[in-house]
Amino acid sequence: RTLAARPPAPPQYQGWMLKSRSLDGPLRSRDKPTPLDHLRSAIDALRADAATQPPPAPTRTSGVAAHPAARSAAATPPLGAGPFETPSGPLRTRRWFLLKDDTLAWFASDDDYTLQAAPRGVVALAGYMVRETHEPGPTGQRALMLLPRASLLWQQGLPIPAAFAAKSWYFRAEHPRETRRWFEALSAGIQSADEAVAVR
């Protein structure tokens, strides 16, 4: 007899958020990326990813394993480290976001997601980090930065390869409490993605 197909696993988190425009994230550049920029950034990212892989799990003879929260804290540098740009203005592009397994995707609307339309953007979270910041303006609402950890290899004040601009974003929900929930969900998703890469 034929077995019924298993339904897809439910998403860890989903909902509306506002995002930065394309190429206007934390690693934005004033220069338009060229094909050579993309190639160089891809090579740099591969080298940096190899240098920033999480350490292997401790063996029984190496002592007590670190608590997951401690590993997450160690993998996320303190705020202010790295050559990050502040948001250039209020975030206005509203999208329906879906966090599932180790992937973040966004759609034009929740109807598009329900009808299985192609997402407007997809990010595999392995090798990324999420940081908190604030949107410019009188309200100064809490916002999030999502960007590759490889960007930390560039010291403050040095130029970032232009192709990295397409790999970083600002996000925020409509309410600070919801933005905080997204921060926690993304942090957990990134940690799970990094652990999955480490055991391969």
Side-chain angles (χ1 to χ4, degrees):
R1 64 180 183 180
T2 59
L3 298 176
R6 291 185 179 181
Q12 285 96 325
Y13 212 74
Q14 59 184 326
W16 290 103
M17 279 202 295
L18 300 170
K19 65 177 288 292
S20 55
R21 295 171 298 174
S22 178
L23 304 180
D24 198 29
L27 302 178
R28 63 184 178 273
S29 171
R30 295 180 181 178
D31 302 322
K32 183 178 180 180
T34 66
L36 184 58
D37 288 327
H38 285 287
L39 177 60
R40 287 173 175 169
S41 291
I43 295 172
D44 289 339
L46 288 173
R47 290 173 177 170
D49 186 59
T52 57
Q53 285 295 324
T59 61
R60 293 183 179 180
T61 59
S62 61
V64 179
H67 189 274
R71 292 200 302 269
S72 178
T76 304
L79 188 64
F84 309 129
E85 294 281 355
T86 56
S88 60
L91 308 180
R92 303 186 185 278
T93 305
R94 192 168 183 256
R95 294 286 182 257
W96 179 261
F97 283 80
L98 173 76
L99 174 62
K100 186 174 181 181
D101 299 327
D102 59 353
T103 302
L104 178 69
W106 53 92
F107 300 80
S109 67
D110 52 343
D111 288 337
D112 275 10
Y113 166 62
T114 303
L115 296 174
Q116 299 184 354
R120 293 293 185 92
V122 179
V123 184
L125 294 176
Y128 269 77
M129 64 181 179
V130 61
R131 307 281 292 279
E132 293 184 293
T133 184
H134 289 87
E135 198 176 26
T139 58
Q141 293 197 59
R142 183 195 302 269
L144 305 177
M145 299 185 291
L146 184 67
L147 62 166
R149 281 198 302 271
S151 62
L152 291 174
L153 297 185
W154 280 272
Q155 299 178 3
Q156 187 73 30
L158 294 181
I160 294 285
F164 261 123
K167 301 179 180 180
S168 68
W169 300 268
Y170 289 110
F171 305 114
R172 77 164 176 83
E174 295 181 351
H175 299 284
R177 185 175 298 177
E178 183 68 6
T179 300
R180 180 64 191 180
R181 291 187 182 127
W182 269 108
F183 175 80
E184 294 170 352
L186 286 169
S187 297
I190 290 170
Q191 181 176 329
S192 176
D194 288 342
E195 290 174 350
V197 170
V199 298
R200 288 176 187 170

